[in-house]
Amino acid sequence: MKTVRLTTAQALVRFLAHQYSERDGQEQRLIPGVWGIFGHGNVAGIGQALLQAATTGEADLPYYLARNEQGMVHASVAYAKMRDRLAAFACTASTGPGSTNMITGAALATTNRLPVLLLPSDMFATRAADPVLQQLEDTRGGDVTVNDAFRAVSKYFDRVSRPEQLIPAALAAMRVLTDPVETGAVTLALPQDVQAEAYDWPVEFFRRRVWHVGRPVPEPAAVERAARLLRSAQRPLIVAGGGAVYSGAETALRAFAEATGIPVADTHAGKGAVAWDHPYAVGGIGSTGSYAANELAKGADVVLGIGTRYSDFTTASHTVFGNPDVAFVNLNVARLDAVKHSAEPLVADARLGIQALAGALDGWEVSPAYRRRTRELVARNREIDDEAFRPGHGPLPAQTEILGALNEVLDDRAVVINAAGSMPGDLQQLWRARDPKAYHVEYAYSCMGYEVAAGVGAKMADPSREVVVLVGDGSYLMMAQEIVTMVSEGLKVVIVLVQNHGFASIGALSQALGSQRFGTKYRYRNGGSGHLDGDVLPVDLAANASSLGADVLHAASVEEFRSAMEKAKAATRTTVVHVETDLYGPNPPGHGWWDVPVSQTSALDSTRTAYETYAAHKQAQRHYL
Ligand SMILES: Cc1ncc(C[n+]2csc(CCOP(=O)(O)OP(=O)(O)O)c2C)c(N)n1
Ligand SMILES: [Mg+2]
């Protein structure tokens, strides 16, 4: 057997540089590079291996330096999302805090079913120097390390305690990353001594490998069952989720909706699968859904879920489907999702599944009356959206006015990124996506801090698109430091920083639930009340962004915002557009409910009243059996 002597880290770098994914005949690098922040644990192991690869040219694996380990995982996940899960970065972190900083990112990746390869450094396998700096000494066992915390949030976890373990571990990691059902965070914990240890590796380990990402075909009998149920429907509704986008099912979905007349509602991950102004597009569904989609959901007798995991925001916590006899057909590559809500499951790739259903339903369509109803609801919906976009709601621009202006100034290929706060809800109703990559809202983990970091990954994934990060002041304060990464990598991203001095989202939620916006504003502590309801703080986030190296534009009105956006579009550097908006909205009218339990007993009138409303809503909640 021919072997080559390398350290474990050198072998891993060489292996990763030779992995490719393939779908529909198109190959691309599966692991296009490595993000990292060095410290003890990876500086000498992986760090040396990356330097050696770059110096000798023996492996092509570019290195990117992030400013926070959580940020680099977000950037990687955003990249994978843009690439329909066909490419994923690796992330190397130092021992202890550097590594555990990646756990939130890992949870986000796994929750969103997006691939990322995490390489946390681990304690000495030999235990020669225990306890090393940043080591958790655990009385329960010598093999427990902080990296065990990754197990709960990873789809695959392995600790490479001996060099030769890397071979099965690395192959398993690639299998999971490229499996659309299994994918998420994959973690290979690398003890720092093992990274530097030499071994004679079989050269075949480093051969070029192509991981075929399949399109599982539906079982004919399952197609028949699903088609039978759909044919029986009078008021069917499609819910398009992320799977529709990742499988590239937009064209098939559009044709299917046109042929059958079934209206298409979308989830956050599915928005853009059908263009917003397509005649059968009825907008976002669920807790923050649109009027048209939620009205149709109320009466729907058969719901065809395509690539959706039916999160509580999609089902409005199991209240949005109001028909007592509603039945489901779920087309999903994952059986986990296909069987949800006692559905007729259709386990398959979204695109192939839609095509199979189209064949089986050939000639069948909804009634002209139902087509008319869809048209009427969409027309009414348009009026509601236009009212939200209308300027002049108050002295400060409302967020909806900003979103209206943004809809107009951005072209169809622009990508808007958001994850947390009041914007995801507004966007789900109001964003006018025409392209499957135009709406990049991470709403599975809804992680504050995702936005700016994700801008880095999204721009790297497709530099030809304008990438626009929408970020609230709260989310910005959690993680803005990847602006420095944008600047150093020369990535032109536009960041719209929406300053409202606190949490518009959780503030409104708190108020609705009888908790009076308690603790949701960024204010001085008030000597009189003892609460955080004093004056606005002297915080200048625009100056902060400027200090990180971005160009900054100020907008005090919707008109100024429009012209700032035109300048930002023309810019060649990372540009922040800072706009003050009204913390109190107004936001678009709500058409759905979200189950957030209210205290059953309370000394506060506001809470007692909120509990009555909560209990009334609870009546509508049900399992779909
Ligand atoms: C990491 C993280 N912590 C806490 C939350 C809960 N949370 C959701 S939205 C929000 C406030 C967001 O504030 P901001 O970014 O200013 O947006 P706004 O609500 O003002 O639109 C909080 C605290 C979260 N989603 N993520
Ligand atoms: Mg805010």
Side-chain angles (χ1 to χ4, degrees):
M1 184 175 61
K2 202 163 167 238
T3 60
V4 51
R5 192 159 179 80
L6 298 169
T7 68
T8 305
Q10 290 160 359
L12 178 59
V13 165
R14 191 177 289 200
F15 172 85
L16 294 178
H18 290 93
Q19 307 307 306
Y20 290 78
S21 69
E22 177 275 336
R23 193 175 69 175
D24 303 332
Q26 286 198 337
E27 284 183 14
Q28 58 182 301
R29 281 283 295 274
L30 174 58
I31 313 287
V34 180
W35 281 96
I37 294 178
F38 293 126
H40 93 97
N42 63 344
V43 65
I46 298 231
Q48 189 280 339
L50 288 165
L51 170 68
Q52 178 170 317
T55 310
T56 64
E58 65 192 36
D60 169 29
L61 202 65
Y63 173 72
Y64 302 95
L65 170 63
R67 270 64 191 175
N68 176 296
E69 292 85 356
Q70 187 186 129
M72 72 196 186
V73 184
H74 292 336
S76 302
V77 167
Y79 185 96
K81 186 173 169 71
M82 290 290 291
R83 291 290 178 96
D84 289 328
R85 318 195 275 207
L86 298 167
F89 274 107
C91 297
T92 170
S94 62
T95 293
S99 288
T100 52
N101 261 358
M102 298 198 293
I103 289 175
T104 298
L108 182 149
T110 296
T111 310
N112 281 279
R113 314 217 180 134
L114 290 164
V116 63
L117 176 61
L118 305 179
L119 306 172
S121 300
D122 219 317
M123 301 307 146
F124 279 65
T126 59
R127 316 233 176 114
D130 282 12
V132 297
L133 176 69
Q134 303 169 325
Q135 177 168 345
L136 178 84
E137 284 186 278
D138 197 310
T139 53
R140 290 168 298 175
D143 62 348
V144 177
T145 83
V146 293
N147 287 339
D148 287 297
F150 280 96
R151 289 182 192 269
V153 291
S154 300
K155 295 306 291 251
Y156 183 82
F157 176 94
D158 211 343
R159 181 175 283 120
V160 181
S161 307
R162 295 176 57 86
E164 59 267 46
Q165 284 176 357
L166 179 67
I167 295 176
L171 292 169
M174 300 304 112
R175 165 178 62 79
V176 175
L177 288 172
T178 53
D179 182 338
V181 177
E182 281 295 307
T183 201
V186 169
T187 303
L188 298 183
L190 303 172
Q192 56 170 320
D193 50 351
V194 178
Q195 285 181 41
E197 203 174 325
Y199 182 76
D200 295 312
W201 305 87
V203 292
E204 290 77 17
F205 181 48
F206 305 111
R207 72 173 169 79
R208 187 178 197 276
R209 272 163 217 274
V210 181
W211 297 85
H212 300 281
V213 179
R215 290 189 176 277
V217 294
E219 248 183 280
V223 175
E224 235 355 275
R225 285 192 297 267
R228 203 175 313 135
L229 186 50
L230 281 164
R231 277 176 189 278
S232 75
Q234 310 286 314
R235 294 182 300 282
L237 176 67
I238 291 171
V239 177
V245 172
Y246 300 139
S247 96
E250 326 55 271
T251 308
L253 178 56
R254 201 178 324 124
F256 183 73
E258 283 160 17
T260 60
I262 307 180
V264 184
D266 46 38
T267 73
H268 282 282
K271 193 173 284 299
V274 170
W276 75 277
D277 52 355
H278 184 274
Y280 293 96
V282 295
I285 189 171
S287 303
T288 53
S290 72
Y291 168 75
N294 282 7
E295 277 299 309
L296 287 165
K298 265 184 211 161
D301 52 0
V302 178
V303 176
L304 170 56
I306 301 178
T308 173
R309 42 192 285 276
Y310 287 108
S311 85
D312 67 338
F313 264 79
T314 297
T315 66
S317 301
H318 290 203
T319 62
V320 82
F321 303 112
N323 185 332
D325 300 318
V326 63
F328 293 79
V329 173
N330 290 339
L331 165 56
N332 206 295
V333 74
R335 194 166 164 77
L336 167 72
D337 301 309
V339 301
K340 283 177 180 169
H341 304 320
S342 316
E344 197 61 79
L346 190 56
V347 178
D349 168 73
R351 186 201 285 177
L352 296 192
I354 294 169
Q355 285 165 348
L357 280 178
L361 288 172
D362 191 24
W364 177 86
E365 58 181 297
V366 302
S367 68
Y370 191 59
R371 286 191 194 247
R372 201 162 47 242
R373 174 154 169 75
T374 300
R375 269 200 306 278
E376 286 163 6
L377 289 172
V378 167
R380 173 71 194 116
N381 210 121
R382 208 59 70 80
E383 290 168 8
I384 296 172
D385 292 356
D386 288 343
E387 169 56 23
F389 294 143
R390 184 183 58 77
H393 285 97
L396 282 172
Q399 183 167 284
T400 52
E401 299 170 44
I402 296 298
L403 296 182
L406 207 53
N407 259 322
E408 283 167 27
V409 297
L410 295 181
D411 70 35
D412 290 352
R413 291 190 77 249
V415 181
V416 297
I417 299 181
N418 188 246
S422 59
M423 275 187 276
D426 288 11
L427 287 164
Q428 202 205 3
Q429 282 200 44
L430 302 176
W431 197 251
R432 298 185 155 175
R434 269 211 187 89
D435 177 289
K437 293 293 162 213
Y439 186 84
H440 186 128
V441 176
E442 184 281 293
Y443 212 62
Y445 210 51
S446 185
C447 184
M448 288 169 78
Y450 176 78
E451 293 91 345
V452 171
V456 174
K459 189 70 182 180
M460 286 169 82
D462 191 346
S464 75
R465 290 177 189 259
E466 190 79 79
V467 170
V468 180
V469 169
L470 293 175
V471 63
D473 53 321
S475 216
Y476 180 91
L477 282 167
M478 282 221 187
M479 204 179 303
Q481 64 280 70
E482 300 312 326
I483 288 177
V484 181
T485 308
M486 287 174 184
V487 171
S488 72
E489 294 291 344
L491 298 168
K492 189 263 168 132
V493 173
V494 179
I495 299 172
V496 176
L497 172 42
V498 180
Q499 170 62 286
N500 57 20
H501 304 281
F503 306 162
S505 51
I506 305 300
L509 181 67
S510 168
Q511 185 159 350
L513 303 181
S515 296
Q516 305 173 20
R517 293 185 181 252
F518 176 68
T520 62
K521 291 176 194 162
Y522 290 140
R523 297 294 176 101
Y524 279 109
R525 188 168 295 283
N526 180 341
S529 71
H531 293 312
L532 295 169
D533 58 2
D535 282 344
V536 168
L537 298 169
V539 169
D540 187 346
L541 296 183
N544 176 275
S546 167
S547 77
L548 296 179
D551 290 340
V552 178
L553 301 164
H554 291 267
S557 66
V558 179
E559 268 330 298
E560 282 183 26
F561 177 74
R562 253 179 237 276
S563 63
M565 275 308 302
E566 291 300 344
K567 278 196 199 121
K569 273 167 56 180
T572 54
R573 299 186 70 250
T574 297
T575 304
V576 172
V577 177
H578 180 278
V579 59
E580 290 243 3
T581 59
D582 195 331
L583 183 70
Y584 299 96
N587 301 90
H591 308 287
W593 181 66
W594 184 33
D595 190 346
V596 181
V598 179
S599 303
Q600 289 188 336
T601 180
S602 166
L604 306 176
D605 285 346
S606 61
T607 313
R608 278 196 298 272
T609 310
Y611 182 73
E612 277 165 31
T613 311
Y614 176 76
H617 275 119
K618 217 41 195 167
Q619 304 280 321
Q621 194 174 46
R622 55 183 282 225
H623 288 292
Y624 303 107
L625 300 172

